[in-house]
Amino acid sequence: MSEQLESGAPTFLDKFPDEAAVVRAALWSSFIALALGAVFGLIQALHRTDVLRLIDSTDYYTVLTAHGVLMVVSFTIFFLVGLFTWATVRSFDRGVESIRYTWTWYGLMVAGTLMAVVAILGGFVPQTDISADVLFTFYAPMQAHPLFYGGLAIFVIGTWLAGADYIWTWRAWAAENPDERIPLQGFMVLTTMLMWYVATIGIAIAVVAFLLPWSLGLFDQINPLLTRTLFWFWGHPVVYFWLMPAYLLWYTVLPTIAGGRLFSDPLGRVVFVLFLLLSTPVGIHHQYVDPGIAEGFKTIAMTNTMFLLLPSLLTAFTVVASVEHGARQRGGTGLLGWLRALPWRNPAFTGMMLAGLMFAAGGFSGMINAGMNINYLVHNTIWVPGHFHLTVGTAVALTLMAATYWLWPQLTNRRLYSRPIGLAQVVIWFVGMGLMSNAMHVQGLFGIPRRTAEPQYEGFDFVASFGSVSELNLQLAIGGTLLFISTMLFVTNIALSAGTPKLSGIGQPLSEPLSTVDDSPEILDNLKLWFGIALVLVVLAYALPLASIIDRGGLLGPGVDPVPMIVEPVAATIEPTLGRLAAAVGSVVP
Amino acid sequence: MNIHNYEKIWLVLSMLLIIGFISTVVYGATAVGIEMVNDEGGTIDSTALDEDDRFSEPRVEKVGEDEYEAYVVARQFIFEPNPIEVPANSTVTFYVTSPDVLHGFEVVGTNANAMVVPGEITELTVEVNEPKEYGILCNEYCGGGHHTMEGKLIVVPEDEFELGDSNDE
Amino acid sequence: MRRTTQGGILVGCGVLFVIVWEIRSALGLLAGVDTNPQLYMLLTLAVVGLTAVALAIGLIGLRPEPPADEDAQ
């Protein structure tokens, strides 16, 4: 327990009790979404592998929508706003300007989430016409209930107001400290939120201008390629929105836990500026095999995507260097011998390190996806979920859980219920994800599709180049089960921590970087400049493709009617389908 | 700005890696000749496929020596025609479109894999070699029966191939 | 001689398990070597289990840390 010796320093709760309450509320919202998402995840893992089918296969897609939205919208973003509120208040060392305003945006995000979740779960209740079986990507002309789009819009507005809250704090601080550089955590929060403002232009236009009025029946046609492209305008930068909280933790918290200091503050700033600039003009790499988009636009997106590797590669260096510094501070020596001087028994440290290790693997499978022509082999196969369960599903999720083990005592003045359970939890996650993601990647190479309730077909079998498909299915199911157990251990551990005695003086100050901000040019802190360049890059990357898509299909694509996604009509559509199938089969019989 | 020497070396290696990746893609596109699905398939009124002579009757057509075109409709939850028959050792260009929602068109075990978007026509050219049966599946979620959406691509020996056999009755 | 802690054994064996098991996929996909899944899993568990036991009884393991450097906090 040496890492958590009482320092006598005040915690975040001691200094900012009002803000700590908001942070706790945001994190609890995040953990509730995580727990629910994990239940749906388990159902899916067992269903698609045919290990245990508790639900009807048409309901699989309701479960899948809920899993996706709860995990990558609610879990990650609620955690983000909680963490960013903590980081803003901590690094500027001042409370928010109006706690009522802060609760307002939190309330909007909760309201938006509830609306979307009601719309999604309505899919289980055939008696209502509420449903949203459109998956996380909600591609038109599949149509969800207006409640779903409305909920998303309100949620995003909540995040915008949260960003304004951080900017407000920064401006108030800057007015009092005109000559000071922005503190590192504050800088990371602000650049990430500016990136979010650029990114959400796409989703805001798609939802507010097209999908919401269309679902309300104000017009009945839509250009599916346009809304899909606008989705991916937002859909790629959002992955960095998930990732940046993890990066913030790796840069500013991990070095302290490792017993050392961040290697370089300036490089950290450069990395976040690069993400602000490059996150958005890459979304078309999700559309490499789409019709209606010229090869040139795809090539530009591919090139930008590859350069987006740079900030992550730089991060790998800085994080490992900082951890090594920590190990040597703790007495570690040798070329690799320093590794054993690290606090591996601390679940916060080990969780973040295991997350980083898996992120390296996820980064490499991402480079495959980014390779335009090799992507043909893996597009929309289960390889892709295999990839993003390593990135958002481990690099982000495991880092956030591990960091909670460190952060939670700072917000509650209570120790964690059990550090050994915490350590077991992060190791179980690592092993579970190792199995599940490995099976997914391999199945993907055999052509097995993602987002499919029963990946077993009548006319053909998948050919496994080694082992067998059923063995991979079993591996996937075991991995998914371990991940579910790990999630439950995490949430229970945090919940039980409320029962441990209140302590005082357990604050953990963060260490200062080795190379401080004074080593970096002031232009790095010119956020207006970077925001401006980011907007220009987005215009350059998207103006022509969007103009071309609108030119081809119109703003409201002619001849594309809405297809409401509700469970009941499925039975109705299967019948004509069978009829058509019979006709098709009949036509080949001479 | 003060950058440590190790960091500079790492930076240079990272840039080399990135340029290496871009080079492999460019090599694939130029030397190997892998073309991307692009905007050349054109657009179509997805509510009126019946009025389009290519898609009113989905079929395979011969357009040149060893060159064929396949007009395919992907709809909830079937592919038409099914099966798609083409002769061995030929070049086949698929034109795929959808009258309802987004679909995927994946010839299992190959790199023939593309999105199908209503209003757009996906154009995808592939080389087929030996006679063989391939599965076709939809890999983009398209509704409650998505998992039942499958088809077949049958590459028949050149001497057994008869055009239009499967289409006219 | 200090033995590896239980926490250390847990973390090390977790990572070792994933690495050894995933080598099977690498063998299958890259080298075209098809291994028997049950046998390979038993082998993996044996390697991990033996490592864990050896660490626990101090047969192998990490020597105690050298005394902390003077600049250590």
Side-chain angles (χ1 to χ4, degrees), chain A residues 57-58 61 133 135 139-142 224-225 228 264 267 270 288-295 298 302-303 306-307 310 313-314 317 367 372-373 376 379-380 447 451-454 457-460 462 519 521 552 559-561 563 570 577 580-581 584 587-588, chain B residues 1-2 4 6-7 10-11 14-15 17-18 21-22 25 28-29 34-39 42-43 45-47 75-78 82-83 100-102 106 108 111 113-115 117-118 120-122 135-137 139-141 143-144 146-147 149-150 152 166 169:
Chain A
S57 278
T58 51
Y61 303 103
D133 297 339
L135 306 193
Y139 297 135
M142 287 196 291
L225 189 59
R228 175 174 158 84
S264 167
L267 257 287
V270 169
Y288 281 154
V289 297
D290 275 21
I293 300 176
E295 183 161 0
K298 294 175 178 175
M302 181 274 292
T303 314
M306 293 295 185
F307 278 105
L310 187 65
L313 289 167
L314 288 178
F317 178 90
M367 293 172 199
M372 214 160 62
N373 25 38
Y376 271 122
H379 175 79
N380 267 356
R451 295 180 152 183
T452 299
E454 298 175 15
Y457 294 86
E458 287 174 10
F460 59 93
F462 295 103
D519 290 335
R552 295 165 68 84
V560 179
D561 291 336
V563 181
V570 165
T577 301
R580 279 201 296 266
L581 192 62
S587 69
V588 300
Chain B
M1 187 160 146
N2 181 10
H4 196 282
Y6 288 144
E7 254 170 334
W10 182 264
L11 197 63
S14 301
M15 287 306 283
L17 182 74
I18 289 168
F21 280 131
I22 295 174
V25 177
I34 301 173
E35 283 182 13
M36 296 311 297
V37 174
N38 60 23
D39 58 348
T43 58
D45 182 349
S46 68
T47 54
R75 67 167 84 226
Q76 287 177 327
F77 300 103
I78 53 163
N82 187 27
D100 40 47
V101 297
L102 268 69
E106 173 187 332
V108 179
N111 64 355
N113 185 352
M115 296 296 301
V117 180
E120 296 280 345
I121 298 169
T122 304
I136 296 176
L137 62 80
N139 62 17
E140 184 57 74
Y141 167 63
H146 167 54
H147 46 275
M149 183 161 168
E150 61 174 295
K152 229 174 212 186
S166 60
E169 314 224 357

Side-chain angles (χ1 to χ4, degrees), chain A residues 18-20 22-23 26 80-82 84-92 94-107 109 156-174 186 189-190 193-194 196-197:
Chain A
D18 294 345
E19 287 79 1
V22 180
V23 178
L80 178 143
V81 293
F84 277 16
T85 304
W86 167 78
T88 304
V89 169
R90 198 207 69 83
S91 68
F92 291 111
R94 60 184 297 140
V96 297
E97 294 302 300
S98 158
I99 197 74
R100 192 180 277 178
Y101 174 80
T102 304
W103 281 112
T104 305
W105 58 250
Y106 169 75
M109 288 176 65
V156 169
I157 290 169
T159 63
W160 287 347
L161 297 182
D165 202 359
Y166 310 142
I167 292 172
W168 193 5
T169 304
W170 164 50
R171 294 318 305 167
W173 171 87
V189 167
L190 293 170
M193 294 314 296
L194 290 180
W196 183 242
Y197 287 123

Side-chain angles (χ1 to χ4, degrees), chain A residues 153-400:
Chain A
I154 289 173
F155 182 85
V156 169
I157 290 169
T159 63
W160 287 347
L161 297 182
D165 202 359
Y166 310 142
I167 292 172
W168 193 5
T169 304
W170 164 50
R171 294 318 305 167
W173 171 87
E176 291 170 16
N177 303 273
D179 299 323
E180 280 198 48
R181 298 291 294 269
I182 305 174
L184 183 60
Q185 281 190 331
F187 184 87
M188 291 173 163
V189 167
L190 293 170
T191 42
T192 304
M193 294 314 296
L194 290 180
M195 184 269 277
W196 183 242
Y197 287 123
V198 177
T200 43
I201 297 170
I203 196 85
I205 296 175
V207 169
V208 177
F210 296 106
L211 297 171
L212 186 57
W214 171 68
S215 70
L216 289 167
L218 296 184
F219 47 83
D220 17 280
Q221 297 197 326
I222 204 146
N223 181 340
L225 189 59
L226 178 61
T227 48
R228 175 174 158 84
T229 306
L230 288 171
F231 176 86
W232 286 116
F233 179 113
W234 168 82
H236 197 73
V238 75
V239 312
Y240 295 104
F241 198 56
W242 304 330
L243 193 60
M244 289 307 102
Y247 272 35
L248 182 143
L249 292 162
W250 293 351
Y251 273 97
T252 64
V253 175
L254 183 60
T256 301
I257 299 179
R261 294 156 69 184
L262 174 64
F263 192 71
S264 167
D265 169 306
L267 257 287
R269 286 174 201 252
V270 169
V271 164
F272 274 73
V273 166
L274 284 173
F275 277 118
L276 166 59
L277 297 183
L278 289 176
S279 289
T280 312
V282 297
I284 287 177
H285 73 215
H286 290 260
Q287 300 175 280
Y288 281 154
V289 297
D290 275 21
I293 300 176
E295 183 161 0
F297 299 141
K298 294 175 178 175
T299 309
I300 292 170
M302 181 274 292
T303 314
N304 289 349
T305 306
M306 293 295 185
F307 278 105
L308 201 40
L309 287 171
L310 187 65
S312 287
L313 289 167
L314 288 178
T315 300
F317 178 90
T318 311
V319 170
V320 173
S322 310
V323 168
E324 179 178 346
H325 173 75
R328 296 197 188 278
Q329 290 296 305
R330 297 165 63 94
T333 51
L335 187 62
L336 290 171
W338 54 270
L339 278 169
R340 63 197 151 97
L342 289 166
W344 292 108
R345 276 191 297 164
N346 180 348
F349 176 80
T350 301
M352 287 200 231
M353 291 301 279
L354 293 178
L357 187 61
M358 282 219 151
F359 189 49
F364 280 103
S365 76
M367 293 172 199
I368 306 281
N369 303 342
M372 214 160 62
N373 25 38
I374 202 164
N375 171 67
Y376 271 122
L377 202 60
V378 293
H379 175 79
N380 267 356
T381 66
I382 195 171
W383 163 287
V384 178
H387 158 73
F388 66 66
H389 278 85
L390 291 180
T391 52
V392 65
T394 302
V396 176
L398 188 54
T399 298
L400 302 191

